Amino acid sequence: MSASDFVRGLGKAIVLGLYFGTNFALAKISNFVKDIFQLDKDWVTRISMGMVVLSLIWGILGIVDALMVRIQEASWGLAQTLPLTVQEYEASITLHGMRDLFGFAQQLILAVFIYFTFKMLNVQPRLKWMFNLGFVLFNISFMLFEGPIIITPQTGFDNYFSATGWYYLAPIGVNGYSLYVVSPLWYIGWILLEIGIYLMTGWYVYHFYLASRNLKEKLPIFLVFGLVVGILILESYSGSFITALWDLLAFYHIVGYNIIADQISFVTLWHGIVYIAWFPAVAALYLLIPMLANKPLYSDKLARVSALLYLIFATGPLGIHHLYMVDLPVPVKIVTEVLTDGIIVPSMMTFFNLWATVKGANIQWNILAALTTMSFAGSVYAGVMGISNSVIAYDAIVHEGMYVVAHFHAFILFSIVPAGFAALYLMVPMMTKRMWYSSKLAWIHFWGYTIGVIMVILGFSYLGVTGLIRKEMIYPISSTFVTGQLITTIGAIIADLATVGWLINLVLTIVKGRVVETEGLSLGELTTSIAMALNGSDDIFINGITKGIVIVKSELHHLIEKRFIKQ
């Protein structure tokens, strides 16, 4: 064989190797994408999983933003250094809220309700284009909020449109009214978000109408709250759409501007968003607690009445309690304070109903029960914190302080997110037909998240009651403030690492989880099956305590026995 033949043959072998290797790699990637997005499943499962995946992407980016804030504030306390610019710090606060509250929470909420609604009502989806368009517009909007990524700073360009602030006498970044002016793309992003959420939510609510024509039984309580959330979204986002459009037109001086009216319009969403996020947690408790207790709900009527009252007391005009310091008539503020406390009534009805349901039940310790318990306790704890915030005199002291931040994060992290995780632990096997890959990772996630979140809430609360103003990266270097910032930062890192463990478990479940048959199983039977697979036998914390108690008992018994023998 000549040298040229050898080189030619070697070249062919390399080309063939690259060809088959590339095809193999592409096939692997294709299968991975198909598994992640459940592309071989029905349309409802595909769009639900698509929303879950996109929500997790925005959620992770929002967590990165939150960590940037934590690093900035902790660095100042430890070494009096600021690793981020002021613009990066301010943008991180805003983007954390935008990505986690809207891109993550809103999208995940709709995904859970859409999936369970179609499965429980057995209705066929129509007008799919309407949902698809809303889904695309909603997720594109988040690409406009941040601003252009420019490595080399250039005059006239703003890397962070979101480095804005809200003050009582100035709107957010409007040309001619604010010292810091943002790009019009910021407002266009808001408008796209609102159009997207309207299309998706309107599509969702429309299918309740379609289902009602053939529905022979009462709507399940879980879906009652799904409908309440849908209606509340349509009502609440009307205010922010008006605000965004008004701000955009005022930016170009096309229309005049009334700052206080603009703020009142905006808080229609800012008030509603809290309950849009929390009501799904209440719905999850109504769904999971009766199934875990293996008992019917104590009072179906009480649950329906509470859902109606929740909708009434969560309406937009009550958002004025976020504007107590604005120059509004005092009687308006007092009426708002009274009506704000009205939310206590359906809340107590709900907690009593769920408590009465679970009383006397023999519930086995599993990951669903653990997360449900945490959500129930967190709702009570955060709700009690909220009562004090509704009082005008107290709010005047704490409104711009870290105590309000503690209250809000207590609701999100201690109540809403655990209920969301519980729903996902149930929902993922239903969609993927695969059981969770690792029960141990599930328990590491639960305890790591629980410990981390408790530290975050305690740290924020400690900073709040000691007088620290929120959004302050430079603060007095005292043991009081530094300790609170460090507790919060360490807790956030622990909770985030635990959540990364959950994410790894999720990917492994989708790709390698044990295949299970879910067809023909009722929701209660499926819940029992998942609860058994994620039971307390792998609970590292409880098992550790149990072993410790056994060892202590054994040692005490040994010492007593030795003493008795000596005597």
Side-chain angles (χ1 to χ4, degrees), residues 347-412:
S347 297
M348 293 309 299
M349 291 166 63
T350 294
F351 296 144
F352 170 77
N353 202 357
L354 294 173
W355 183 270
T357 300
V358 80
K359 186 179 179 181
N362 183 22
I363 298 178
Q364 299 299 315
W365 186 241
N366 57 70
I367 201 70
L368 296 178
L371 287 165
T372 302
T373 302
M374 183 180 180
S375 179
F376 187 92
S379 296
V380 176
Y381 177 86
V384 171
M385 291 181 72
I387 295 172
S388 59
N389 288 330
S390 68
V391 179
I392 297 174
Y394 187 74
D395 184 79
I397 299 172
V398 303
H399 185 81
E400 288 300 331
M402 291 298 293
Y403 185 79
V404 171
V405 179
H407 160 61
F408 184 71
H409 281 78
F411 249 128
I412 295 290

Side-chain angles (χ1 to χ4, degrees), residues 449-506:
Y449 179 82
T450 301
I451 293 168
V453 162
I454 289 173
M455 290 177 67
V456 169
I457 296 168
L458 287 178
F460 278 152
S461 300
Y462 183 59
L463 291 171
V465 297
T466 52
L468 184 64
I469 302 299
R470 58 179 170 171
K471 298 185 180 181
E472 290 293 335
M473 60 182 175
I474 298 176
Y475 47 87
I477 304 302
S478 67
S479 59
T480 300
F481 293 149
V482 173
T483 300
Q485 294 286 13
L486 289 179
I487 291 173
T488 303
T489 302
I490 294 170
I493 292 171
I494 292 172
D496 290 344
L497 288 175
T499 305
V500 169
W502 173 83
L503 190 61
I504 293 171
N505 199 10
L506 174 65

Side-chain angles (χ1 to χ4, degrees), residues 110 130-131 133-139 190-202:
L110 278 176
M130 182 177 176
F131 174 86
L133 178 60
F135 175 69
V136 171
L137 292 178
F138 180 82
N139 284 285
W190 267 105
I191 291 170
L192 289 181
L193 182 150
E194 288 144 359
I195 293 173
I197 202 77
Y198 259 103
L199 288 171
M200 289 190 293
T201 308

Side-chain angles (χ1 to χ4, degrees), residues 45-190:
T45 300
R46 293 200 305 271
I47 62 106
S48 299
M49 183 57 85
M51 294 176 79
V52 169
V53 172
L54 265 296
S55 72
L56 291 176
I57 290 173
W58 294 123
I60 291 168
L61 291 174
I63 287 174
V64 172
D65 292 317
L67 285 176
M68 288 175 69
V69 176
R70 291 285 93 234
I71 289 170
Q72 181 88 330
E73 294 179 356
S75 297
W76 175 257
L78 288 174
Q80 290 76 66
T81 60
L82 298 173
L84 306 177
T85 64
V86 174
Q87 189 190 39
E88 288 170 332
Y89 171 79
E90 295 289 346
S92 295
I93 294 175
T94 305
L95 289 173
H96 163 55
M98 295 300 299
R99 288 164 170 165
D100 281 338
L101 201 52
F102 296 95
F104 169 68
Q106 296 288 283
Q107 190 156 215
L108 183 60
I109 286 164
L110 278 176
V112 172
F113 275 129
I114 286 171
Y115 183 78
F116 279 108
T117 297
F118 281 93
K119 294 302 178 183
M120 295 171 75
L121 294 182
N122 196 26
V123 60
Q124 294 302 312
R126 298 186 187 179
L127 302 177
K128 298 176 184 177
W129 65 267
M130 182 177 176
F131 174 86
N132 291 334
L133 178 60
F135 175 69
V136 171
L137 292 178
F138 180 82
N139 284 285
I140 284 177
S141 71
F142 295 96
M143 301 176 189
L144 301 180
F145 285 127
E146 181 168 356
I149 305 300
I150 302 173
I151 297 175
T152 304
Q154 299 180 41
T155 304
F157 287 92
D158 187 347
N159 277 29
Y160 295 96
F161 300 158
S162 47
T164 61
W166 184 278
Y167 299 94
Y168 292 122
L169 298 178
I172 299 181
V174 176
N175 187 24
Y177 292 88
S178 304
L179 292 176
Y180 188 97
V181 178
V182 301
S183 164
L185 290 176
W186 168 262
Y187 307 109
I188 294 171
W190 267 105

